[in-house]
Amino acid sequence: MAKQVEYFFAPVSGYAYLGHAAFLEIARRAGAEVILRPFDIIALFSGQGTVPPPKQGDTRLSYRQEDMARWATRLGLPLNAKPAHWPANPGPASRAILATEEMGHDAGAVAGAFMTGIWAEERNLADAAQLAEMLDALGLPAADILAKGDTPEIVAAYEANT
């Protein structure tokens, strides 16, 4: 029986972007099946009374951006530490990732494309047309995935992850 790892992440998180590919590679080498569990990080911050990064003070936000830039350089990843569409509503992208997994496609690749989209390509993860473009670029049935992402089952799974 293959090992399973539940991977809770927010596709709008810069740190999730930085660690995503490395995490999937570690899991692959270990022979583990990764179950993607995207969640609503905005709701998490709100529910915990934590100040989300966009509302943090200038010094803390500046340090976060510098830290992410250091990690991106170390990992050889492109990064815009101040993306135009951040923060974005993570729901549409998260539900598309869940729908992709439910439909038997490579949800890890989709999550990676979405995170690259926001952190390196100035994409808006709350925009269905931009999500469709990224899904199309992966050769996936974008319309079917986005429609499935709006079903009550996928919405409920997203809420349960959060």
Side-chain angles (χ1 to χ4, degrees):
M1 175 186 241
K3 299 169 240 172
Q4 289 188 332
V5 178
E6 287 185 295
Y7 172 29
F8 288 85
F9 69 100
V12 297
S13 166
Y15 285 105
Y17 163 64
L18 293 169
H20 181 75
F23 170 73
L24 292 181
E25 177 58 21
I26 291 167
R28 185 196 64 74
R29 282 185 290 171
E33 175 188 5
V34 176
I35 310 299
L36 279 76
R37 300 286 188 239
F39 68 93
D40 185 348
I41 197 166
I42 296 167
L44 179 70
F45 279 127
S46 177
Q48 296 299 311
T50 302
V51 178
K55 294 184 178 179
Q56 294 171 352
D58 290 342
T59 302
R60 188 168 175 195
L61 188 55
S62 175
Y63 177 78
R64 180 183 183 280
Q65 292 164 347
E66 290 172 19
D67 185 52
M68 286 178 58
R70 283 190 295 268
W71 276 106
T73 298
R74 180 176 182 193
L75 296 167
L77 293 172
L79 175 75
N80 176 359
K82 295 181 181 183
H85 303 287
W86 180 83
N89 174 3
S94 295
R95 292 190 310 269
I97 293 164
L98 289 168
T100 299
E101 189 165 56
E102 179 74 20
M103 294 170 71
H105 301 295
D106 186 351
V110 169
F114 288 173
M115 288 188 273
T116 298
I118 193 169
W119 292 101
E121 299 170 352
E122 297 296 348
R123 299 278 197 154
N124 183 350
L125 297 190
D127 183 291
Q130 290 190 36
L131 295 176
E133 288 174 8
M134 290 183 274
L135 290 165
D136 285 338
L138 292 170
L140 295 172
D144 295 342
I145 290 170
L146 294 175
K148 177 114 178 130
D150 287 334
T151 63
E153 297 79 20
I154 296 295
V155 170
Y158 177 54
E159 291 172 356
N161 290 347
T162 303

